[in-house]
């Protein structure tokens, strides 16, 4: 009996192998016919030292030990060696396409938008932190989410810079006093910038700031009474809670990046530290969600962005609470937008101040342009800092664009093919022919590498030179905020916040010096 059972099992295995072999043959034949009908040629196939590209995965996971840079040493160098579009074998034998060709990126994001999605993989990698939200979804739910968020980023909302000014003053307070020579102490600016963007983002989304800058300042200055300046939401007893939220936010973000790098093995990263960080974030956000739901039950609807001017302030949270009653969905959406609003703007500001510190001539040129457009001694009514006036300061725009070109906030992204489709270039010996993309295949595009291509940006593509933007039109070779229907809704918000802080910084300080291993220092403006 046991022999018969084993024999039956072997027949069953053989049947499964035969079924999948025939199915694979038919699928491959159909795909080859599709490629032939569309005039496609195969892209360049890269070679790995170990099966499934395990050698490359090991290299990525050991960046901290090796001292290599993920973008410059791995991605950029590989495109230089292999070509602008290639096909790679990854974990479990999956074939992915990598490209830095603007034509292909435009097809994926715009002209063939309906042929691609962000995919289930993103939901699995991001979902532990962001749940079901605009960044982890496709289809009707994504369309609904985007329509809901769009009013929050209306121009009249972005132009409300009162909270940005308060957060700016909090950052200046955190920089500390100046000495007799006009210098501040050496300070690591990045944590202060993260507090700044967290404070402005929570005010923008929740309707009130978490005041993390002042909370951190209160904790660092034991015995000093700065709690009174933290506003009605964050009294002294809440300072530790606000700081815990900021720490949890950073921890969750760190582990989410690691889950992305592990690709299909993302599930290996789900430790206690990550779970505690997510729980802290959710508990904190739930407080605002419950207040908003209670408020929505006592009012018929949230005010629109246009109605909010001069009346009750519009916020994303109030809009969500008016249209959805599921607190989990509201919380996940808020955390997704908060993650994007905090990290991208802080990264932009960090790089802007870095390049200004390391390019003193650019610093002085930009400061002259800022002081001409926004004299510190003039009244706010004479030279107001607004959305329109910031965009009108051309050299400031050039500096921001050049920073975003060299240091895009989202250097890598991907899409998954919903059906067999075609990309316009990358096939054949010279890479000029179209390539066929199979249903379910991943297409990775590296904006960081694309925006440093010398054939697109000149022989000085790796050099910070804001003047290159004079007379240059934006195209698909410059995508710091993505493009197409999923273009970042908050790009004008991020640019306005960054431009505002840069203007106020240059009004206040006349030099910014990098300090090796200790951050930067800035002297008082004269």
């Amino acid at each position: 009996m046991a022999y018969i059972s084993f024999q039956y099992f072997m027949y069953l295995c053989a049947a499964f192998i035969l079924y999948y072999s025939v199915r694979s043959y038919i699928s491959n034949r159909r795909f080859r016919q599709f490629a032939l009908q569309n005039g496609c040629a195969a892209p360049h196939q890269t070679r790995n030292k170990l099966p499934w590209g395990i050698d490359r995965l090991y290299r990525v996971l050991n960046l901290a030990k090796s001292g290599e840079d993920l973008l410059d040493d791995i991605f950029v160098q590989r495109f230089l060696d292999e070509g602008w579009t290639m096909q790679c074998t990854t974990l479990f034998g999956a074939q992915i396409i990598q490209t830095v060709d603007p034509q292909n990126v435009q097809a994926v994001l715009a002209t063939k938008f309906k042929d691609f999605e962000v995919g289930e993989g993103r939901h699995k990698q991001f979902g532990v932190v962001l749940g079901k939200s605009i960044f982890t979804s496709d289809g009707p739910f994504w369309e609904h989410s985007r329509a809901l968020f769009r009013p929050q980023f209306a121009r009249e909302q972005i132009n409300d810079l009162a909270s940005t000014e308060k957060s700016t003053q909090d950052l200046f307070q955190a920089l500390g006093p100046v000495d007799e020579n006009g210098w501040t102490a050496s300070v690591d600016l990045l944590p202060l910038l993260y507090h700044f963007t967290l404070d402005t983002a929570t005010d923008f989304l929740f309707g009130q700031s978490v005041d993390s800058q002042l909370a951190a300042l209160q904790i660092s200055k034991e015995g000093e009474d700065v709690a009174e300046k933290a506003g009605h939401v964050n009294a002294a007893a809440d300072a530790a809670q606000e700081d815990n939220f900021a720490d949890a936010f950073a921890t969750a973000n760190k582990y989410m990046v690691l889950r992305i790098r592990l690709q299909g093995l993302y599930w290996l990263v789900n430790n206690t530290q990550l779970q505690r960080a997510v729980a802290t974030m959710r508990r904190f956000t739930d407080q605002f969600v419950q207040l908003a739901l209670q408020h929505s039950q006592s009012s018929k609807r949230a005010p629109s962005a246009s109605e909010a001017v001069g009346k009750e302030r519009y916020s994303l949270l109030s809009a969500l609470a008016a249209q959805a009653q599921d607190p989990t969905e509201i919380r996940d959406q808020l955390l997704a937008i908060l993650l994007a609003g905090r990290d991208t703007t802080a990264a932009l500001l960090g790089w802007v101040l870095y390049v200004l510190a390391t390019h003193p001539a650019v610093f002085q040129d930009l400061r002259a342009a800022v002081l001409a457009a926004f004299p510190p001694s003039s009244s706010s009514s004479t030279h107001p800092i607004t959305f329109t006036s910031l965009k009108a300061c051309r050299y400031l725009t050039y500096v921001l664009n050049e920073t975003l070109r060299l240091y895009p906030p989202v250097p890598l992204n991907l899409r998954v093919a919903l059906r067999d489709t075609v990309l316009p270039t990358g096939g054949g010996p010279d890479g000029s022919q179209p390539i066929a993309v199979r249903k379910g295949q991943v297409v990775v595009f590296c904006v960081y590498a694309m925006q440093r291509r010398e054939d697109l940006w000149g022989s000085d593509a790796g050099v910070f030179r804001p003047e290159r933007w004079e007379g240059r039109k934006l195209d698909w070779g410059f995508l710091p905020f993505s493009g197409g229907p999923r273009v970042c809704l908050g790009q004008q918000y991020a640019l306005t916040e960054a431009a505002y802080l840069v203007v106020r910084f240059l009004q206040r300080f006349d030099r910014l010096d990098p300090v090796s291993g200790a951050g930067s220092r800035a002297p008082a403006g004269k």
Side-chain angles (χ1 to χ4, degrees):
M1 187 67 179
Y3 172 76
I4 296 175
S5 298
F6 178 75
Q7 188 177 42
Y8 176 78
F9 174 74
M10 293 301 295
Y11 282 140
L12 189 63
C13 289
F16 270 115
I17 293 174
L18 179 61
Y19 168 76
Y20 282 109
S21 296
V22 172
R23 182 182 178 184
S24 177
Y25 171 79
I26 294 174
S27 176
N28 289 335
R29 181 181 178 184
R30 177 188 54 76
F31 183 69
R32 285 195 297 269
Q33 291 175 341
F34 172 82
L36 185 63
Q37 291 169 358
N38 287 276
C40 298
H44 169 68
Q45 181 73 44
T46 63
R47 295 182 179 181
N48 297 313
K49 294 180 181 179
L50 295 176
W52 294 351
I54 294 175
D55 52 310
R56 293 188 69 240
L57 178 60
Y58 178 82
R59 189 178 172 190
V60 168
L61 295 177
N62 283 273
L63 292 174
K65 293 181 180 179
S66 67
E68 288 186 303
D69 182 83
L70 173 66
L71 297 171
D72 289 323
D73 298 325
I74 296 181
F75 276 93
V76 172
Q77 191 58 50
R78 193 169 200 187
F79 283 115
L80 291 173
D81 294 340
E82 307 275 1
W84 304 134
T85 299
M86 69 192 83
Q87 186 166 263
C88 315
T89 303
T90 60
L91 281 179
F92 311 117
Q95 296 291 318
I96 70 169
I97 292 173
Q98 295 184 349
T99 186
V100 290
D101 193 295
Q103 293 183 65
N104 288 339
V105 177
Q106 182 182 14
V108 170
L109 296 179
T111 56
K112 296 200 172 184
F113 173 77
K114 293 184 178 180
D115 288 352
F116 293 92
E117 63 179 1
V118 298
E120 184 65 21
R122 179 185 286 192
H123 175 71
K124 291 177 179 178
Q125 293 167 346
F126 288 23
V128 65
V129 177
L130 304 182
K132 186 178 181 181
S133 62
I134 187 172
F135 295 126
T136 61
S137 62
D138 292 290
F141 184 82
W142 168 78
E143 293 174 358
H144 163 75
S145 300
R146 190 170 179 88
L148 185 61
F149 296 153
R150 189 175 290 111
Q152 178 66 19
F153 295 97
R155 179 169 172 174
E156 55 265 33
Q157 291 299 108
I158 297 174
N159 206 36
D160 183 2
L161 295 169
S163 174
T164 307
E165 173 60 22
K166 177 188 178 302
S167 297
T168 300
Q169 294 304 321
D170 292 344
L171 186 149
F172 289 159
Q173 182 180 348
L175 285 175
V178 297
D179 61 21
E180 63 276 8
N181 297 316
W183 287 97
T184 68
S186 297
V187 60
D188 185 356
L189 287 173
L190 192 57
L192 306 187
L193 296 175
Y194 275 122
H195 286 310
F196 170 82
T197 55
L198 181 60
D199 291 347
T200 56
T202 49
D203 185 86
F204 191 65
L205 300 175
F206 296 168
Q208 50 191 21
S209 171
V210 298
D211 287 327
S212 63
Q213 194 84 263
L214 290 179
L217 190 60
Q218 178 186 349
I219 292 172
S220 65
K221 293 184 176 181
E222 296 180 0
E224 292 190 21
D225 185 19
V226 298
E228 292 181 3
K229 297 189 65 178
H232 64 281
V233 179
N234 305 317
D238 294 327
Q241 183 185 20
E242 317 303 343
D243 202 54
N244 287 340
F245 176 77
D247 290 342
F249 209 88
T251 299
N253 191 33
K254 176 184 71 174
Y255 282 112
M256 193 163 64
V257 170
L258 183 56
R259 286 167 67 91
I260 295 170
R261 290 181 177 179
L262 282 171
Q263 303 174 38
L265 299 177
Y266 66 90
W267 47 270
L268 292 174
V269 180
N270 193 22
N271 57 24
T272 303
Q273 189 177 12
L274 171 59
Q275 293 173 6
R276 286 177 178 173
V278 171
T280 298
M281 292 166 57
R282 289 176 174 175
R283 278 196 307 270
F284 184 85
T285 308
D286 282 340
Q287 302 174 62
F288 293 95
V289 172
Q290 292 301 324
L291 288 173
L293 287 174
Q294 293 171 13
H295 182 268
S296 70
Q297 293 172 359
S298 62
S299 60
K300 293 183 179 180
R301 64 179 178 88
S304 67
S306 59
E307 292 171 335
V309 178
K311 299 180 181 179
E312 180 183 357
R313 186 177 180 188
Y314 179 91
S315 71
L316 173 62
L317 178 55
S318 63
L320 285 172
Q323 300 189 37
Q325 293 299 310
D326 183 355
T328 300
E329 177 187 343
I330 297 174
R331 180 197 65 206
D332 291 346
Q333 294 278 29
L334 285 173
L335 288 176
I337 298 295
L338 185 58
L339 177 70
R342 178 224 187 206
D343 284 11
T344 56
T345 312
L348 171 57
L349 280 166
W351 284 117
V352 168
L353 294 179
Y354 167 78
V355 295
L356 290 179
T358 53
H359 296 78
V362 174
F363 181 99
Q364 294 303 329
D365 288 345
L366 179 58
R367 187 166 190 266
V370 164
L371 295 182
F374 311 101
S377 59
S378 65
S379 66
S380 59
S381 59
T382 307
H383 295 87
I385 305 178
T386 64
F387 173 84
T388 302
S389 63
L390 289 170
K391 291 184 73 67
C393 187
R394 289 196 303 167
Y395 197 66
L396 175 59
T397 299
Y398 296 165
V399 168
L400 293 175
N401 281 350
E402 184 70 346
T403 304
L404 287 167
R405 182 185 71 82
L406 289 173
Y407 309 103
V410 183
L412 288 166
N413 213 328
L414 63 82
R415 293 291 186 268
V416 181
L418 280 169
R419 56 187 64 86
D420 291 347
T421 188
V422 175
L423 294 182
T425 187
D430 62 354
S432 64
Q433 295 176 256
I435 59 174
V437 182
R438 188 189 297 265
K439 177 182 178 180
Q441 192 168 16
V442 173
V443 177
V444 176
F445 49 98
C446 182
V447 173
Y448 181 90
M450 182 175 71
Q451 295 180 173
R452 289 169 174 253
R453 283 178 53 174
E454 292 188 358
D455 58 324
L456 298 179
W457 297 93
S459 58
D460 64 346
V463 177
F464 180 78
R465 186 170 64 84
E467 291 75 15
R468 79 173 73 244
W469 287 94
E470 188 169 358
R472 187 183 183 100
K473 295 182 179 180
L474 300 182
D475 56 29
W476 285 89
F478 179 66
L479 290 178
F481 295 102
S482 192
R486 291 191 82 126
V487 65
C488 177
L489 281 171
Q491 63 174 312
Q492 294 304 324
Y493 166 80
L495 289 171
T496 302
E497 292 290 300
Y500 187 95
L501 182 60
V502 170
V503 166
R504 300 292 283 118
F505 198 93
L506 295 180
Q507 286 177 331
R508 188 180 183 95
F509 301 114
D510 61 8
R511 276 182 60 191
L512 177 67
D513 280 4
V515 181
S516 178
S520 299
R521 63 176 185 171
K526 298 176 182 177

